[in-house]
mmCIF file of all heavy atoms in Angstrom:
data_model
loop_
_atom_site.group_PDB
_atom_site.id
_atom_site.type_symbol
_atom_site.label_atom_id
_atom_site.label_comp_id
_atom_site.label_asym_id
_atom_site.label_seq_id
_atom_site.Cartn_x
_atom_site.Cartn_y
_atom_site.Cartn_z
ATOM 1 N N GLY A 1 -45.533 -30.902 -45.499
ATOM 2 C CA GLY A 1 -46.478 -31.970 -45.131
ATOM 3 C C GLY A 1 -45.854 -33.047 -44.306
ATOM 4 O O GLY A 1 -44.635 -33.154 -44.149
ATOM 5 N N SER A 2 -46.725 -33.861 -43.748
ATOM 6 C CA SER A 2 -46.361 -34.910 -42.807
ATOM 7 C C SER A 2 -46.131 -36.238 -43.437
ATOM 8 O O SER A 2 -45.786 -37.210 -42.772
ATOM 9 C CB SER A 2 -47.427 -35.068 -41.694
ATOM 10 O OG SER A 2 -48.664 -35.379 -42.284
ATOM 11 N N CYS A 3 -46.282 -36.336 -44.784
ATOM 12 C CA CYS A 3 -46.149 -37.612 -45.482
ATOM 13 C C CYS A 3 -44.722 -37.716 -46.020
ATOM 14 O O CYS A 3 -44.316 -36.967 -46.949
ATOM 15 C CB CYS A 3 -47.145 -37.730 -46.607
ATOM 16 S SG CYS A 3 -48.855 -37.607 -46.076
ATOM 17 N N TYR A 4 -43.928 -38.596 -45.472
ATOM 18 C CA TYR A 4 -42.523 -38.727 -45.756
ATOM 19 C C TYR A 4 -42.221 -38.859 -47.229
ATOM 20 O O TYR A 4 -41.312 -38.228 -47.762
ATOM 21 C CB TYR A 4 -41.967 -39.958 -45.017
ATOM 22 C CG TYR A 4 -40.451 -40.129 -45.061
ATOM 23 C CD1 TYR A 4 -39.692 -39.773 -43.928
ATOM 24 C CD2 TYR A 4 -39.775 -40.584 -46.195
ATOM 25 C CE1 TYR A 4 -38.345 -39.948 -43.918
ATOM 26 C CE2 TYR A 4 -38.431 -40.722 -46.202
ATOM 27 C CZ TYR A 4 -37.719 -40.413 -45.072
ATOM 28 O OH TYR A 4 -36.347 -40.529 -45.098
ATOM 29 N N GLY A 5 -43.010 -39.643 -47.972
ATOM 30 C CA GLY A 5 -42.686 -40.025 -49.356
ATOM 31 C C GLY A 5 -43.151 -39.030 -50.404
ATOM 32 O O GLY A 5 -42.871 -39.218 -51.583
ATOM 33 N N VAL A 6 -43.876 -37.972 -50.060
ATOM 34 C CA VAL A 6 -44.379 -37.042 -51.044
ATOM 35 C C VAL A 6 -43.217 -36.248 -51.638
ATOM 36 O O VAL A 6 -42.307 -35.837 -50.922
ATOM 37 C CB VAL A 6 -45.366 -36.042 -50.388
ATOM 38 C CG1 VAL A 6 -45.697 -34.892 -51.305
ATOM 39 C CG2 VAL A 6 -46.680 -36.796 -50.102
ATOM 40 N N GLY A 7 -43.214 -36.032 -52.951
ATOM 41 C CA GLY A 7 -42.180 -35.301 -53.646
ATOM 42 C C GLY A 7 -42.338 -33.786 -53.461
ATOM 43 O O GLY A 7 -43.465 -33.269 -53.442
ATOM 44 N N ALA A 8 -41.236 -33.084 -53.309
ATOM 45 C CA ALA A 8 -41.269 -31.665 -53.085
ATOM 46 C C ALA A 8 -41.834 -30.907 -54.256
ATOM 47 O O ALA A 8 -42.471 -29.825 -54.137
ATOM 48 C CB ALA A 8 -39.839 -31.154 -52.753
ATOM 49 N N GLY A 9 -41.649 -31.435 -55.480
ATOM 50 C CA GLY A 9 -42.090 -30.727 -56.684
ATOM 51 C C GLY A 9 -43.531 -30.297 -56.684
ATOM 52 O O GLY A 9 -43.855 -29.113 -56.768
ATOM 53 N N GLY A 10 -44.436 -31.284 -56.598
ATOM 54 C CA GLY A 10 -45.867 -30.944 -56.582
ATOM 55 C C GLY A 10 -46.294 -30.335 -55.273
ATOM 56 O O GLY A 10 -47.181 -29.473 -55.253
ATOM 57 N N HIS A 11 -45.689 -30.758 -54.193
ATOM 58 C CA HIS A 11 -46.123 -30.292 -52.845
ATOM 59 C C HIS A 11 -45.909 -28.763 -52.735
ATOM 60 O O HIS A 11 -46.811 -28.048 -52.357
ATOM 61 C CB HIS A 11 -45.346 -31.030 -51.787
ATOM 62 C CG HIS A 11 -45.723 -30.661 -50.385
ATOM 63 N ND1 HIS A 11 -46.935 -31.038 -49.811
ATOM 64 C CD2 HIS A 11 -45.093 -29.957 -49.421
ATOM 65 C CE1 HIS A 11 -47.019 -30.537 -48.568
ATOM 66 N NE2 HIS A 11 -45.895 -29.900 -48.303
ATOM 67 N N ILE A 12 -44.704 -28.337 -53.028
ATOM 68 C CA ILE A 12 -44.420 -26.889 -52.876
ATOM 69 C C ILE A 12 -45.146 -26.055 -53.890
ATOM 70 O O ILE A 12 -45.738 -25.038 -53.528
ATOM 71 C CB ILE A 12 -42.880 -26.649 -52.947
ATOM 72 C CG1 ILE A 12 -42.207 -27.383 -51.793
ATOM 73 C CG2 ILE A 12 -42.580 -25.168 -52.869
ATOM 74 C CD1 ILE A 12 -40.663 -27.329 -51.877
ATOM 75 N N SER A 13 -45.171 -26.471 -55.154
ATOM 76 C CA SER A 13 -45.793 -25.646 -56.147
ATOM 77 C C SER A 13 -47.320 -25.444 -55.934
ATOM 78 O O SER A 13 -47.920 -24.479 -56.362
ATOM 79 C CB SER A 13 -45.609 -26.289 -57.570
ATOM 80 O OG SER A 13 -46.254 -27.546 -57.653
ATOM 81 N N GLY A 14 -47.920 -26.363 -55.158
ATOM 82 C CA GLY A 14 -49.332 -26.220 -54.833
ATOM 83 C C GLY A 14 -49.558 -25.524 -53.504
ATOM 84 O O GLY A 14 -50.686 -25.459 -53.018
ATOM 85 N N GLY A 15 -48.507 -25.005 -52.883
ATOM 86 C CA GLY A 15 -48.661 -24.271 -51.609
ATOM 87 C C GLY A 15 -48.670 -25.183 -50.404
ATOM 88 O O GLY A 15 -49.432 -24.955 -49.485
ATOM 89 N N GLY A 16 -47.849 -26.177 -50.389
ATOM 90 C CA GLY A 16 -47.915 -27.202 -49.347
ATOM 91 C C GLY A 16 -47.867 -26.689 -47.869
ATOM 92 O O GLY A 16 -47.245 -25.703 -47.610
ATOM 93 N N TYR A 17 -48.664 -27.335 -47.093
ATOM 94 C CA TYR A 17 -48.719 -26.993 -45.692
ATOM 95 C C TYR A 17 -48.497 -28.236 -44.837
ATOM 96 O O TYR A 17 -48.476 -29.352 -45.356
ATOM 97 C CB TYR A 17 -50.111 -26.419 -45.326
ATOM 98 C CG TYR A 17 -51.188 -27.425 -45.120
ATOM 99 C CD1 TYR A 17 -51.701 -27.715 -43.866
ATOM 100 C CD2 TYR A 17 -51.715 -28.146 -46.203
ATOM 101 C CE1 TYR A 17 -52.695 -28.662 -43.645
ATOM 102 C CE2 TYR A 17 -52.720 -29.081 -46.024
ATOM 103 C CZ TYR A 17 -53.205 -29.343 -44.754
ATOM 104 O OH TYR A 17 -54.170 -30.285 -44.533
ATOM 105 N N GLY A 18 -48.321 -28.039 -43.523
ATOM 106 C CA GLY A 18 -48.093 -29.187 -42.647
ATOM 107 C C GLY A 18 -48.187 -28.803 -41.196
ATOM 108 O O GLY A 18 -48.785 -27.782 -40.825
ATOM 109 N N VAL A 19 -47.593 -29.667 -40.377
ATOM 110 C CA VAL A 19 -47.728 -29.599 -38.909
ATOM 111 C C VAL A 19 -47.195 -28.258 -38.370
ATOM 112 O O VAL A 19 -47.721 -27.741 -37.393
ATOM 113 C CB VAL A 19 -47.045 -30.763 -38.276
ATOM 114 C CG1 VAL A 19 -47.105 -30.719 -36.729
ATOM 115 C CG2 VAL A 19 -47.632 -32.078 -38.758
ATOM 116 N N LEU A 20 -46.198 -27.715 -38.996
ATOM 117 C CA LEU A 20 -45.573 -26.438 -38.509
ATOM 118 C C LEU A 20 -46.117 -25.193 -39.194
ATOM 119 O O LEU A 20 -45.619 -24.112 -38.983
ATOM 120 C CB LEU A 20 -44.061 -26.494 -38.654
ATOM 121 C CG LEU A 20 -43.344 -27.521 -37.801
ATOM 122 C CD1 LEU A 20 -41.828 -27.449 -38.118
ATOM 123 C CD2 LEU A 20 -43.560 -27.286 -36.321
ATOM 124 N N SER A 21 -47.147 -25.331 -40.034
ATOM 125 C CA SER A 21 -47.637 -24.197 -40.788
ATOM 126 C C SER A 21 -48.323 -23.157 -39.902
ATOM 127 O O SER A 21 -48.290 -21.965 -40.214
ATOM 128 C CB SER A 21 -48.527 -24.664 -41.945
ATOM 129 O OG SER A 21 -47.784 -25.278 -42.928
ATOM 130 N N ARG A 22 -48.983 -23.594 -38.861
ATOM 131 C CA ARG A 22 -49.590 -22.616 -37.972
ATOM 132 C C ARG A 22 -48.517 -21.754 -37.309
ATOM 133 O O ARG A 22 -48.764 -20.587 -37.021
ATOM 134 C CB ARG A 22 -50.446 -23.322 -36.909
ATOM 135 C CG ARG A 22 -51.829 -23.692 -37.355
ATOM 136 C CD ARG A 22 -52.621 -24.489 -36.369
ATOM 137 N NE ARG A 22 -52.582 -23.936 -35.004
ATOM 138 C CZ ARG A 22 -53.276 -22.879 -34.579
ATOM 139 N NH1 ARG A 22 -54.093 -22.231 -35.347
ATOM 140 N NH2 ARG A 22 -53.181 -22.540 -33.276
ATOM 141 N N LEU A 23 -47.374 -22.336 -37.079
ATOM 142 C CA LEU A 23 -46.280 -21.620 -36.442
ATOM 143 C C LEU A 23 -45.438 -20.832 -37.473
ATOM 144 O O LEU A 23 -44.964 -19.700 -37.148
ATOM 145 C CB LEU A 23 -45.371 -22.634 -35.688
ATOM 146 C CG LEU A 23 -44.277 -22.051 -34.794
ATOM 147 C CD1 LEU A 23 -44.849 -21.164 -33.739
ATOM 148 C CD2 LEU A 23 -43.500 -23.216 -34.173
ATOM 149 N N HIS A 24 -45.269 -21.383 -38.683
ATOM 150 C CA HIS A 24 -44.338 -20.775 -39.596
ATOM 151 C C HIS A 24 -44.895 -20.466 -40.995
ATOM 152 O O HIS A 24 -44.132 -19.984 -41.896
ATOM 153 C CB HIS A 24 -43.102 -21.651 -39.811
ATOM 154 C CG HIS A 24 -42.279 -21.813 -38.542
ATOM 155 N ND1 HIS A 24 -41.756 -20.756 -37.858
ATOM 156 C CD2 HIS A 24 -41.933 -22.930 -37.836
ATOM 157 C CE1 HIS A 24 -41.072 -21.187 -36.801
ATOM 158 N NE2 HIS A 24 -41.184 -22.500 -36.758
ATOM 159 N N GLY A 25 -46.146 -20.748 -41.245
ATOM 160 C CA GLY A 25 -46.722 -20.455 -42.550
ATOM 161 C C GLY A 25 -46.603 -21.600 -43.523
ATOM 162 O O GLY A 25 -46.216 -22.713 -43.166
ATOM 163 N N LEU A 26 -46.862 -21.333 -44.807
ATOM 164 C CA LEU A 26 -46.806 -22.348 -45.849
ATOM 165 C C LEU A 26 -45.388 -22.449 -46.446
ATOM 166 O O LEU A 26 -44.573 -21.530 -46.310
ATOM 167 C CB LEU A 26 -47.828 -22.024 -46.951
ATOM 168 C CG LEU A 26 -49.272 -21.748 -46.526
ATOM 169 C CD1 LEU A 26 -50.115 -21.328 -47.710
ATOM 170 C CD2 LEU A 26 -49.858 -23.028 -45.889
ATOM 171 N N THR A 27 -45.158 -23.520 -47.171
ATOM 172 C CA THR A 27 -43.858 -23.698 -47.854
ATOM 173 C C THR A 27 -43.588 -22.502 -48.777
ATOM 174 O O THR A 27 -42.484 -21.966 -48.801
ATOM 175 C CB THR A 27 -43.785 -24.984 -48.630
ATOM 176 O OG1 THR A 27 -44.880 -25.021 -49.582
ATOM 177 C CG2 THR A 27 -43.918 -26.193 -47.719
ATOM 178 N N VAL A 28 -44.603 -22.063 -49.537
ATOM 179 C CA VAL A 28 -44.397 -21.000 -50.520
ATOM 180 C C VAL A 28 -44.170 -19.628 -49.896
ATOM 181 O O VAL A 28 -43.744 -18.703 -50.524
ATOM 182 C CB VAL A 28 -45.536 -20.945 -51.558
ATOM 183 C CG1 VAL A 28 -45.532 -22.215 -52.435
ATOM 184 C CG2 VAL A 28 -46.889 -20.807 -50.830
#
């Protein structure tokens, strides 16, 4: 994701996406 302060714990476990996801997929 593009929000600097978000913690990786909840972001990744929920399948986090962001600016580079169209190019590289989701975090998971």
Side-chain angles (χ1 to χ4, degrees):
S2 59
C3 303
Y4 188 103
V6 168
H11 182 71
I12 297 174
S13 65
Y17 81 107
V19 178
L20 293 179
S21 289
R22 279 176 44 80
L23 188 57
H24 295 303
L26 305 176
T27 57
V28 292

